[in-house]
Amino acid sequence: MSPDGQTRGVKVTASNNLYTAILALAFCVVLATTVLVAYKCYSQYGTIFKIP
Amino acid sequence: MSALTKILIVLLTISSIFLCGIVVTYVANADNYRQKYNDLKADRDSLSRKAKDLTKQVNEKISEKRLLEDRLSSEVVSLKAEIRKLEGDLKNVDRERAGLVQKVNSWASIVQDFSQTNDKQLQLLKDTREELNKVQAEQIRERKELNETTASLIEKMAIIETLEAERKRLLEEKTELQSRLDQLLQPFGKVAAAPVPVTPPRDIARPATDTIRDIALRGLIADVDLKNSMASISIGRADGVKEGMKFYVTRGDDFLCEILIIDVEAEEAVGVLELVQQQPRVGDNVSTNL
């Protein structure tokens, strides 16, 4: 939506680093939960998505 | 960044953390169904194998039991047959035993009777020997007396012959004297009177009169042993009872038996029952004369 000239010249920066960190924390939590669930599924059932 | 975006970020983060916590908690506490399935499957397989083994063992046991039943049935049949045979043998043995017991009893009674008879015969032999000894002693004594009597008789015969010769001589002298006296008195017409002897004439010897009388001992039966045919009486040597005497047992006017005395005590005597007509009892009368 912005012109290429403007995009190339504007450096993207976070408007607020605190909420970015909160989002990162949420993402990390979700990711860790996903990894944990995937690990449990694989370790217990031998597969992640298929029904044994 | 607007305030709504910030609120949404915060809410998204909180909700994400909350939901992730719930998911983590659930996953951490979730059961391992695969492990359970595997365990149950292993248990089922082992139980199936055990069931098969047990079934096989049961079938083997059933077959063994049938074989054993057949064998035991045959053994039972053979044992029953043997039992019947043994029962028959037992009956035969019982019959033989009863017969042998009867024979033994009869032989025992015969032996007992024979023993009693033998004892009686021994006692009689003893008595007879004693009597024989007495008779022989008496015979010796009588022979001695006979010898003495013979000697005395010979002596008296000699005296008689002497006296006979003397008598004959006296008769001759008497005849001669009678003839002389007749010759002397004949011229005077007288005859000599017949002489009257002072010594009276003797009569012919006669046997003496029977002065024997019965002893007439009387007593009572004191004890009776019917098993040995023995009895004891209430009179003994003090009353004049001697061995070998015979007593008659009576009850009222009935004759019961005789008792031959074989042993004599001072106040009682024991004898053997003979000629038993009725069984004597204690208190029956005994006497030497009927």
Side-chain angles (χ1 to χ4, degrees):
Chain A
M1 288 191 267
S2 61
D4 292 337
Q6 291 179 350
T7 305
R8 194 180 301 161
V10 178
K11 187 179 179 179
V12 177
T13 58
S15 60
N16 194 338
N17 289 328
L18 177 62
Y19 292 100
T20 302
I22 291 170
L23 280 175
L25 177 63
F27 178 74
C28 288
V29 168
V30 171
L31 183 63
T33 303
T34 304
V35 169
L36 178 64
V37 170
Y39 173 72
K40 283 282 185 182
C41 286
Y42 188 79
S43 63
Q44 291 184 2
Y45 300 106
T47 182
I48 296 175
F49 297 108
K50 287 197 301 183
I51 296 174
Chain B
M1 182 180 295
S2 63
L4 182 60
T5 305
K6 291 177 182 178
I7 291 168
L8 288 174
I9 289 170
V10 170
L11 289 176
L12 177 64
T13 303
I14 292 170
S15 62
S16 297
I17 292 170
F18 179 71
L19 289 174
C20 286
I22 291 173
V23 168
V24 167
T25 303
Y26 175 75
V27 168
N29 295 324
D31 293 328
N32 191 348
Y33 289 106
R34 186 185 180 194
Q35 184 67 33
K36 286 187 176 181
Y37 168 75
N38 290 332
D39 293 340
L40 291 174
K41 188 178 179 183
D43 292 339
R44 191 202 66 180
D45 292 339
S46 63
L47 290 175
S48 297
R49 284 194 297 274
K50 282 185 180 178
K52 286 181 180 178
D53 293 337
L54 290 174
T55 304
K56 187 177 179 182
Q57 289 180 1
V58 167
N59 291 329
E60 290 177 354
K61 293 292 181 185
I62 288 171
S63 61
E64 288 179 0
K65 189 195 75 164
R66 286 177 181 169
L67 290 173
L68 188 61
E69 281 180 355
D70 295 338
R71 190 163 56 83
L72 290 175
S73 298
S74 62
E75 287 183 0
V76 165
V77 171
S78 63
L79 288 174
K80 283 183 178 178
E82 190 174 357
I83 286 171
R84 283 194 290 272
K85 182 183 177 185
L86 290 175
E87 285 177 351
D89 293 340
L90 181 62
K91 288 179 180 177
N92 293 329
V93 170
D94 286 338
R95 282 196 293 272
E96 291 179 359
R97 178 177 164 275
L100 291 175
V101 167
Q102 189 175 1
K103 283 185 178 178
V104 166
N105 291 330
S106 64
W107 278 108
S109 61
I110 290 170
V111 168
Q112 188 176 3
D113 294 339
F114 180 73
S115 299
Q116 292 178 357
T117 306
N118 195 16
D119 293 339
K120 291 179 182 176
Q121 294 294 332
L122 285 174
Q123 188 64 36
L124 288 174
L125 179 62
K126 185 178 177 183
D127 295 341
T128 306
R129 282 183 176 175
E130 290 178 357
E131 191 173 355
L132 178 63
N133 291 331
K134 289 179 182 177
V135 169
Q136 285 178 348
E138 190 174 356
Q139 185 181 9
I140 292 170
R141 185 176 56 79
E142 288 180 351
R143 187 172 293 171
K144 185 178 178 182
E145 289 180 356
L146 179 62
N147 292 331
E148 291 177 356
T149 305
T150 304
S152 176
L153 180 63
I154 291 170
E155 185 180 355
K156 289 182 178 178
M157 287 292 289
I159 293 171
I160 288 170
E161 285 179 359
T162 305
L163 292 175
E164 191 69 25
E166 185 72 18
R167 176 174 168 274
K168 192 177 290 183
R169 188 178 60 81
L170 291 173
L171 282 175
E172 290 173 357
E173 287 180 0
K174 177 188 173 187
T175 305
E176 185 178 355
L177 290 173
Q178 187 69 32
S179 62
R180 286 182 184 177
L181 185 60
D182 290 341
Q183 288 176 0
L184 290 174
L185 293 177
Q186 193 171 11
F188 301 100
K190 294 182 179 178
V191 179
V196 178
V198 178
T199 304
R202 291 185 177 179
D203 199 356
I204 299 172
R206 292 187 180 86
T209 56
D210 190 7
T211 58
I212 297 172
R213 60 184 177 84
D214 295 329
I215 300 172
L217 291 176
R218 292 181 180 278
L220 297 174
I221 294 287
D223 191 10
V224 178
D225 184 4
L226 294 176
K227 185 178 179 181
N228 296 318
S229 296
M230 306 280 285
S232 63
I233 60 176
S234 62
I235 54 178
R237 186 177 290 111
D239 301 302
V241 179
K242 295 180 180 176
E243 293 182 3
M245 291 180 71
K246 190 171 287 185
F247 284 83
Y248 302 100
V249 182
T250 57
R251 186 185 302 150
D253 295 332
D254 296 333
F255 170 76
L256 302 181
C257 62
E258 291 181 357
I259 297 177
L260 178 63
I261 300 300
I262 59 173
D263 188 19
V264 181
E265 300 291 336
E267 294 294 335
E268 68 172 359
V270 178
V272 179
L273 299 178
E274 294 180 340
L275 299 176
V276 177
Q277 305 296 321
Q278 298 181 32
Q279 298 295 337
R281 293 198 298 256
V282 175
D284 289 335
N285 297 317
V286 295
S287 63
T288 55
N289 305 106
L290 286 173

